[in-house]
Amino acid sequence: MARRTQLSFATFNLYNLHTPGNRIYRDADGWSQAEYDKKITWSANIIKNTDAKVWGFQELWHKDALTALFEEADLMADYDLLLPDNHGNTKIICAAAVKKGLLQGTPNWIVNFPDKMRLESSGDDDQTPDISIAINKFSRPTLNFKIKPRSDGKEISVYVAHLKSKSPTQLWREGWYRDDVDFYKKHATALGATISTIRRSAEAAALRMLIIEEIKGNDNPLVVMGDINDAQLSNTMNILTGQPNYLLSGLSKGGSDTGLYTVATLQEYRSLRDVYYTHVYQNTKESLDHILVSQEFYDSSRKRIWAYKGMEIVNDHLDNDAHKLSGTTDHGIVKATFEYRPI
């Protein structure tokens, strides 16, 4: 019997992790030293206690802050930190940490949509007006890298993503808005939310194109994790996953060449009820942070390489919304564990 290598992935939105005194959006002062210290201490404890082999991070402003976090956790010698060389510390980025010995090649931060992506249509029938959406970049660059957990196994492609939030886009800066403020301010929330949804959907489609180009027609394993900023059954997730069929009975009978399976759904098959949430807004609990896996991680797939062991959610801190005072993040942390069990 092959040795049962265990592999775990975790996604962690760092809630604007920046070094103290530096601007965060319109907050010119950013975190105070005391607030920063609390964030580092709390986040370091999460990293130590969760103990994932591969971490995906969102909302990192400064590379030094992530380094400080792993130094506080006393884990710098155990992980390779994936941080862009040319980051100017004035925008949020995706980052990662990979257990030593797993990383293959050089990580890549993807800014531009695929060259051949088009969001243009004259409609499906005479009643449908033309549509054309001009967008060609991710709001936050998507990180892609490869790992190899076993010397006799395949490389795994990992994407860390942070898609556009559901918060309505602020339109007050736009000239057309300022030209007729009295009218547009009544509709600012609806219009802003629509623009955010279109942007997030476009980002999901662009990432989906990258995924299909990488895994279609082969058996190469792939993982996507991060703050998708939409729920498990949302259209955003439907675009990203391709909505594969989940076979509820029989091992090694199903699978989808390009489909991605949500760890949340895999966990529901192991649980009596769904208690999975990673974000709370106006007393509404929902799941915005996800781990998605290709058929090589799906138990019922004919192409299974890694068997699903279970999911863990760190979300007790969401019951207290004083994140700035306590040093916590405003998202839950999601971890998924797999075991090497090829068919």
Side-chain angles (χ1 to χ4, degrees), residues 13 43 56 67-68 74 94 142 190 204 225 245 267 275 279 286 311:
N13 183 310
S43 299
T67 300
D74 196 22
C94 293
T142 297
M225 58 179 170
N245 182 40
Q267 185 62 34
V275 293
H279 192 259
E286 59 181 345
M311 179 183 72

Side-chain angles (χ1 to χ4, degrees), residues 24-317:
I24 300 175
Y25 299 119
R26 285 183 287 172
D27 181 357
D29 297 327
W31 302 112
S32 68
Q33 185 66 53
E35 291 166 342
Y36 172 79
D37 290 344
K38 288 180 180 179
K39 284 181 66 66
I40 292 297
T41 299
W42 186 86
S43 299
N45 284 330
I46 293 295
I47 297 293
K48 286 190 294 186
N49 293 331
T50 305
D51 190 30
K53 295 287 182 68
V54 180
W55 283 93
F57 299 107
Q58 306 86 49
E59 291 196 18
L60 175 67
W61 287 80
H62 203 296
K63 295 189 293 183
D64 290 352
L66 189 63
T67 300
L69 193 163
F70 274 79
E71 287 175 343
E72 176 72 17
D74 196 22
L75 290 172
M76 280 295 291
D78 298 331
Y79 285 87
D80 291 314
L81 300 188
L82 277 52
L83 298 160
D85 293 331
N86 59 350
H87 179 55
N89 305 320
T90 59
K91 299 177 181 178
I92 56 174
I93 58 169
C94 293
V98 180
K99 272 291 181 75
K100 294 282 188 181
L102 295 183
L103 185 65
Q104 300 289 298
T106 304
N108 178 36
W109 280 262
I110 303 166
V111 176
N112 297 321
F113 286 1
D115 290 340
K116 292 186 178 181
M117 179 170 170
R118 295 291 183 271
L119 295 173
E120 302 172 1
S121 173
S122 57
D124 296 329
D125 54 54
D126 293 339
Q127 292 178 281
T128 308
D130 294 354
I131 185 171
S132 178
I133 299 170
I135 179 174
N136 60 5
K137 294 182 179 180
F138 290 100
S139 301
R140 287 94 184 182
T142 297
L143 170 59
N144 177 230
F145 58 93
K146 289 181 169 58
I147 61 171
K148 192 172 184 180
R150 292 178 60 93
S151 60
D152 59 348
K154 288 194 169 191
E155 289 185 348
I156 300 169
S157 183
V158 181
Y159 287 84
V160 180
H162 186 187
L163 303 190
K164 180 67 182 75
S165 74
K166 293 198 286 186
S167 299
T169 298
Q170 296 181 25
L171 302 175
W172 55 268
R173 302 180 183 88
E174 308 300 328
W176 57 265
Y177 184 95
R178 296 197 302 269
D179 288 343
D180 198 352
V181 172
D182 289 340
F183 176 80
Y184 282 117
K185 68 182 179 182
K186 297 178 294 185
H187 306 290
T189 299
L191 293 174
T194 300
I195 290 173
S196 293
T197 300
I198 291 171
R199 188 180 296 277
R200 184 171 61 258
S201 296
E203 291 175 344
L207 181 52
R208 178 70 180 157
M209 289 182 70
L210 295 172
I211 291 165
I212 290 175
E213 288 297 315
E214 187 165 354
I215 66 174
K216 185 173 178 60
N218 58 59
D219 302 331
N220 295 332
L222 181 144
V223 175
V224 177
M225 58 179 170
D227 181 1
I228 305 305
N229 264 314
D230 224 334
Q232 180 181 342
L233 301 178
S234 65
N235 192 51
T236 306
M237 287 286 283
N238 289 342
I239 293 169
L240 266 180
T241 64
Q243 296 181 276
N245 182 40
Y246 287 83
L247 191 66
L248 297 180
S249 62
L251 294 177
S252 309
K253 300 296 184 182
S256 168
D257 183 30
T258 62
L260 297 182
Y261 298 84
T262 68
V263 167
T265 302
L266 299 183
Q267 185 62 34
E268 286 174 8
Y269 293 159
R270 306 279 180 90
S271 308
L272 293 176
R273 67 191 188 101
D274 176 19
V275 293
Y276 172 73
Y277 68 93
T278 69
H279 192 259
V280 180
Y281 178 69
Q282 292 185 348
N283 296 318
T284 298
K285 296 180 178 180
E286 59 181 345
S287 305
L288 304 183
D289 306 85
H290 302 276
I291 299 175
L292 317 175
V293 296
S294 63
Q295 64 175 344
E296 290 76 21
F297 294 88
Y298 177 44
D299 283 351
S300 296
S301 170
R302 302 179 186 91
K303 305 292 183 69
R304 191 194 73 217
I305 299 174
W306 297 90
Y308 176 64
K309 295 292 290 181
M311 179 183 72
E312 301 172 36
I313 303 291
V314 180
N315 61 5
D316 286 347
H317 60 279

